[in-house]
Structure formats: structure tokens, C-alpha cells
Amino acid sequence: MSDSKEKVTADVELTLPSPGDRSGERKASEDSTRPSTTSRRLTTRLELWAFYVYYIGNNGLSGFNFGPSQFQNLLFLAGYDPSWVRDVNSIVLLTNGISFALQAAVLLIIGAWADYGRWRPNITIFFTILAVAVSFAWLGVEDPSRWQAGVALYILGLITYQCALTFWTAAFPGLARDLTIVQESSDKVASGEKTESEHADFESMERNRISNISFAVCSAGEIIILAIMVGILKGLKSDASTENNTKAFSVLIAFSGGVWLICALPWFFLEKRRPGLALPTGASMLTIGFKQTVVAFRECLRLKQTFLYLIFYFLMGDVLNTTVTVIGTLQNSVVSYSTLQLTLLLIVGIVAQGAGIYLFWLVQKRFQIPTRTMLCFNVFWILILTVWGLIGIHTDKFGFKHVWEIWLYQAYYGLMVCPWYAYSQTMISEVSPLPQMFLFFALFSVVGKTSAFIGPLVSSAIITASGNNDNYPFVFLFTLGVLSTGFLYFVDVDKSRRECAEFVLAEAKREAFADTL
């Protein structure tokens, strides 16, 4: 690997100071956060739209929406008696926790691979194709007697969906950095026309723009997909019988997989293979994930602001993932697993999601509101969601117990909660060192998946211990949510930028990370 450095131009150029030159050190700390002017792979409009279109396919309908609903439906039809076996909702949460635990293990091994060489897009391609195959495999699971196969497909579907989403998401900071307008802003810093802080704020807004537009485009495309699904359900006469309804679930999952593949193809071919780091001496692809995760976590302890956000992300990610899963199980029961009802509910949710993300972005752009402030506002509404469920512990009048509540929840979730998925990811890029951006995204993903399996397992145990009261987990979720918000309050983005600049310079000298290729 040592001679490979001559073959590939560096994506990020580190400028080191001469001994005793403090001004050179300051300059190195600034230059290390900007891409080299000699190695730009500018983001084209076509590449950017391929990035957006991919997300239309990877919308979660197969692995995150209909897959879990079909799994719960099969368990219900298989004839479990909650009086002597775990409640169905508890089983779904337990399986969900196992799935996220496996995701954490997978990302621990391969999470750092995206940082090396030019082949990092292959990881996204691999998981996408595998996820599509899992979607089509659901066509063979249309009878309750095959619920065991449903368990395997449910777990595989969640793992492949989340892994594909993780590595696709990690590409957007590079796309933003290589936009022509961002590169021009970087040149102005080099020429003294602009300060480093002004450029960082400008690049931050561009990252937010890309992130929010991708969600808006996904929402628009998903509405069209769901409208087609309504036609498919009418053709299958899904409401005519339980058998038709169960078959319709599998058909919708397979259709989602087919759309995902079609939407992914442009990104597979148009994404520019931006170079990453060289593999450290003595490391292999099997061990680098563990080594780099340990290094990243160790160094994260030095990046105080990054570490604060890591704790918040760990806790609040668990709160939201588990809250959505718990509400999803309640929703499926309330609408009696009707594929048509669930599809119509999703249409409402996606319309609200597109509107919510776009409105958040318009307000942010109009008033130039920082990412952290937008995230704090969003987190407040997530906590309100847990309060909603908490009320239902001792009453049947409220707390996701009625069909009208489910319709209201979909609108509320889309408008006020969904912006989390844009702002929480953008915030990772705000507090991570640029040369190791993929590594830190992988670290946050591992942490997120670790927390995501803890919540469902705890919630499953709470439901069982409470005598199958499906609303009791909201006590745990509300408490954890309030605790996590405190960590976000203390995150200082400006201080984080300074810490990251000093970190990059120090690690270049100490060689904790390998040089770029």
C-alpha cells in the first residue's frame, strides 16, 4: 500500500508548519479543514440529483414500514395468546432490538471501510442490492405458518435498509464541500476576501440545503409511489379477506424494492469516487473497523463538543427510534393491519413530512438560524410525542388508542418530528473533523444502532412487566428524552470547529490516522 500514494491525488491536503512557526500552525489548522485546490472533484447538478433520487427509492417503505407491519401481522394471525406468551407488540420490539444489535456489530466491522480508497460507493451498492433481494423474498411469505421466515426477512430488511441509508447519508458532506459555490467561497478564504468562520457558516447552510432538499424530493417521490400502491391494493382487493390483505403486504414490499433499484441506478453510475485514506501499516480490512472505531472514540473524548453531541445522539436517537416503533405497533393494532389504511396513513404522513422539512428549511434560510437551534426546536416536539403516549397509560380515551389519533399522529410526525432526520445528520458534519468525516459518521451510526437496540429491549421488558400495557414504555422514553436534551444544550458549534481544526493538525503530526491516498 505504500506506493499507492503516488497513484492517487489527495482529497484533503494537510499543510504542516515549519518548526517554531506559530503563524504557520494557525494557517495549517485552517487549511486542514479545506479541500486542496488541486484535487477538486466538483459536484455537478446531475450527480446531486442522482443523490436526491436515490433517496426516493431508499424511503423505508419496504424495510421500515411494510416489512415490520407484515411481520406483526403474521405473528397476530399465527394465533399467539398474550395470556401465556409475550404480547405481540413486545415480540416485535424484542426482534427490533436484536436487529439493531446486529446492525451495530456490522457497522463496527465495516463502518470505517468507507474512509479508504475509491471504492467506498461499493458498500452502498452492496447493501442496496441485498435490500432489494430481501424485498422480493417477501413474496414467498404470504401465509401465517411461515412467520419464522418473516422473522429473518424482518431483521435482514432492517439491517440492509439502515446500512444502505448510513453510507448514502455519509456522502452528502463531500457533495456539499465540492459544490462550485462552496469551492469559490473557499478560494475567497485563501485570498483573504473571506474569514474562515464566514466560510464555515456558508458551507453549513449548503449542507443543510442538500439535506433538506433530499428529504423534500424523497417525500414528493414517495407520495407518487404510495398513490400507485393504492391502485395495486384495489386491484388485489386487499380489503376482501385476511388472506388478500396478507398477500398485499408482501406485494407492496416487493414493489418498493423494485422502485428502490430503479431509483438507485443513477447514483451507482454518477457518484464521483472521491479518494479516501490509505490503509494504515499493519492493518487489514477485517481489523480496521475495530481499530478506527477505538481511535475515533478515543479522539472523540478529546473533542469535547463532539463527545457531548455523541451522548445526546445516543440517547435521543434511542428515544425517537423506540417511540416510533412503539407507536407503529399500536397503529397496526388500531387499524387491524389493513394494508389500505396503512398506505393512506403513510400518504398523509409523507405529505406532512415534505411540508414540515420544507417549512423548517424556509424558516432557517430566511432567518439564518444555526443547525443546533433548529435541532433544539425539533427535539421539543419529539418530547411532546412521548407525553402523548404517556397519557394513555391509565386511560383509553387518549394515547394512540383510536383511529383518529393515528391520523393526527401521522400529520404531527411529518410536520414536527421528521426534520430530525435531516438536522441530526447535518449536525454530525458540524462537529466532525473533515478528513475523517466518514469515520465519524460511522462512529455515530454504531452509537446510534447500539442505542437503538437498547430502547426496544427495555420497552419490551417494560410491557411484559406491566401486564402487557403497551403505553408504559413512554415513561422510560420521556425521562430519557429530557435527560438527553441537556447534553444538546451544552454543545457549542463554534468551539467544536476550533477543536476539530486543532485535532486535524495534531493527528497529522502524531499519525493517529493514516495519510490520505
Side-chain angles (χ1 to χ4, degrees):
M1 291 301 294
S2 59
D3 62 349
S4 64
K5 295 182 182 178
E6 300 176 359
K7 301 177 183 178
V8 185
T9 307
D11 188 32
V12 177
E13 185 179 88
L14 297 179
T15 306
L16 299 180
S18 57
D21 185 357
R22 302 300 296 177
S23 63
E25 183 173 324
R26 286 192 299 272
K27 184 180 185 302
S29 127
E30 292 179 353
D31 289 349
S32 63
T33 62
R34 295 197 302 272
S36 167
T37 58
T38 62
S39 58
R40 295 173 179 170
R41 287 165 175 76
L42 293 180
T43 302
T44 64
R45 187 177 182 84
L46 201 58
E47 182 185 17
L48 197 56
W49 272 97
F51 177 79
Y52 295 151
V53 170
Y54 177 90
Y55 199 24
I56 295 176
N58 187 7
N59 50 45
L61 287 177
S62 57
F64 191 73
N65 294 115
F66 291 117
S69 295
Q70 173 70 315
F71 172 57
Q72 188 177 350
N73 176 54
L74 292 171
L75 285 177
F76 177 77
L77 295 176
Y80 280 99
D81 181 0
S83 66
W84 61 277
V85 182
R86 276 181 180 266
D87 177 66
V88 168
N89 292 358
S90 178
I91 294 173
V92 172
L93 285 167
L94 181 62
T95 310
N96 189 270
I98 293 171
S99 172
F100 278 112
L102 292 173
Q103 287 176 46
V106 170
L107 285 171
L108 187 61
I109 297 172
I110 70 170
W113 289 7
D115 276 322
Y116 298 93
R118 295 176 179 269
W119 58 281
R120 62 183 73 158
N122 294 344
I123 304 173
T124 304
I125 293 172
F126 170 78
F127 280 113
T128 300
I129 292 174
L130 187 56
V132 170
V134 170
S135 298
F136 283 112
W138 274 104
L139 290 173
V141 184
E142 298 176 354
D143 187 270
S145 63
R146 307 203 64 187
W147 66 267
Q148 293 96 333
V151 174
L153 293 179
Y154 171 60
I155 292 175
L156 277 174
L158 278 177
I159 292 174
T160 52
Y161 159 68
Q162 291 285 358
C163 287
L165 184 63
T166 294
F167 287 102
W168 168 83
T169 301
F172 93 89
L175 291 175
R177 186 180 69 241
D178 289 336
L179 286 170
T180 302
I181 55 175
V182 174
Q183 293 289 346
E184 290 172 352
S185 174
S186 180
D187 290 341
K188 289 180 181 179
V189 176
S191 64
E193 299 175 53
K194 205 173 192 178
T195 67
E196 183 71 29
S197 178
E198 289 173 337
H199 170 69
D201 289 338
F202 179 76
E203 185 174 344
S204 172
M205 290 302 293
E206 287 304 308
R207 284 198 296 265
N208 276 288
R209 182 178 69 85
I210 291 176
S211 180
N212 284 292
I213 290 177
S214 68
F215 275 89
V217 170
C218 173
S219 298
E222 198 170 350
I223 290 169
I224 296 173
I225 294 169
L226 289 167
I228 296 172
M229 285 181 170
V230 171
I232 293 174
L233 293 174
K234 293 292 185 182
L236 292 172
K237 296 182 173 58
S238 61
D239 282 351
S241 66
T242 301
E243 290 76 15
N244 285 7
N245 187 65
T246 303
K247 178 180 180 181
F249 265 125
S250 295
V251 171
L252 293 185
I253 296 170
F255 176 72
S256 300
V259 172
W260 186 354
L261 181 61
I262 293 171
C263 292
L265 289 176
W267 179 241
F268 289 171
F269 293 106
L270 294 174
E271 181 187 6
K272 293 181 179 177
R273 301 199 168 220
R274 296 170 173 86
L277 302 170
L279 197 66
T281 304
S284 70
M285 296 307 288
L286 290 177
T287 61
I288 190 61
F290 294 99
K291 178 179 179 180
Q292 291 292 66
T293 299
V294 169
V295 170
F297 188 77
R298 184 191 69 210
E299 303 306 329
C300 189
L301 294 176
R302 292 170 51 201
L303 297 169
K304 295 179 182 178
Q305 305 307 310
T306 308
F307 187 62
L308 281 174
Y309 184 67
L310 184 70
I311 297 173
F312 161 77
Y313 188 81
F314 176 88
L315 297 174
M316 184 54 72
D318 189 21
V319 170
L320 182 56
N321 287 329
T322 308
T323 297
V324 171
T325 303
V326 171
I327 296 174
T329 61
L330 295 171
Q331 171 183 272
N332 291 335
S333 300
V334 170
V335 302
S336 302
Y337 307 98
S338 168
T339 50
L340 183 58
Q341 278 264 53
L342 290 172
T343 303
L344 293 174
L345 283 166
L346 279 173
I347 291 176
V348 172
I350 299 306
V351 170
Q353 171 184 298
I357 290 172
Y358 188 65
L359 286 173
F360 267 63
W361 165 239
L362 283 182
V363 172
Q364 181 184 22
K365 183 180 179 182
R366 171 68 178 81
F367 298 102
Q368 294 293 296
I369 302 173
T371 303
R372 176 186 169 278
T373 304
M374 296 299 295
L375 186 58
C376 287
F377 180 71
N378 173 243
V379 163
F380 171 78
W381 298 107
I382 295 174
L383 293 178
I384 294 298
L385 193 62
T386 63
V387 173
W388 185 347
L390 202 152
I391 294 172
I393 292 177
H394 299 297
T395 178
D396 290 330
K397 295 180 179 180
F398 198 71
F400 309 110
K401 305 289 183 73
H402 308 279
V403 174
W404 68 264
E405 278 190 277
I406 301 303
W407 286 95
L408 181 60
Y409 158 70
Q410 286 292 343
Y412 177 92
Y413 176 75
L415 283 170
M416 308 309 297
V417 177
C418 276
W420 158 271
Y421 299 104
Y423 288 109
S424 64
Q425 294 297 312
T426 304
M427 190 67 183
I428 294 174
S429 66
E430 298 271 327
V431 296
S432 299
L434 182 60
Q436 287 83 30
M437 186 68 74
F438 276 88
L439 173 62
F440 274 80
F441 261 94
L443 173 64
F444 273 84
S445 294
V446 170
V447 167
K449 299 303 178 290
T450 302
S451 70
F453 81 76
I454 294 173
L457 293 178
V458 172
S459 296
S460 174
I462 290 174
I463 290 175
T464 302
S466 65
N468 295 333
N469 187 322
D470 294 328
N471 285 71
Y472 250 104
F474 289 110
V475 176
F476 162 69
L477 296 171
F478 173 73
T479 304
L480 194 61
V482 172
L483 175 65
S484 69
T485 304
F487 290 98
L488 179 62
Y489 177 80
F490 289 106
V491 174
D492 187 323
V493 174
D494 290 332
K495 187 179 292 185
S496 177
R497 289 171 182 165
R498 293 192 296 271
E499 288 179 353
C500 287
E502 294 168 0
F503 165 83
V504 170
L505 180 63
E507 295 313 305
K509 292 178 178 178
R510 209 165 64 84
E511 296 183 348
F513 294 98
D515 292 335
T516 51
L517 284 169

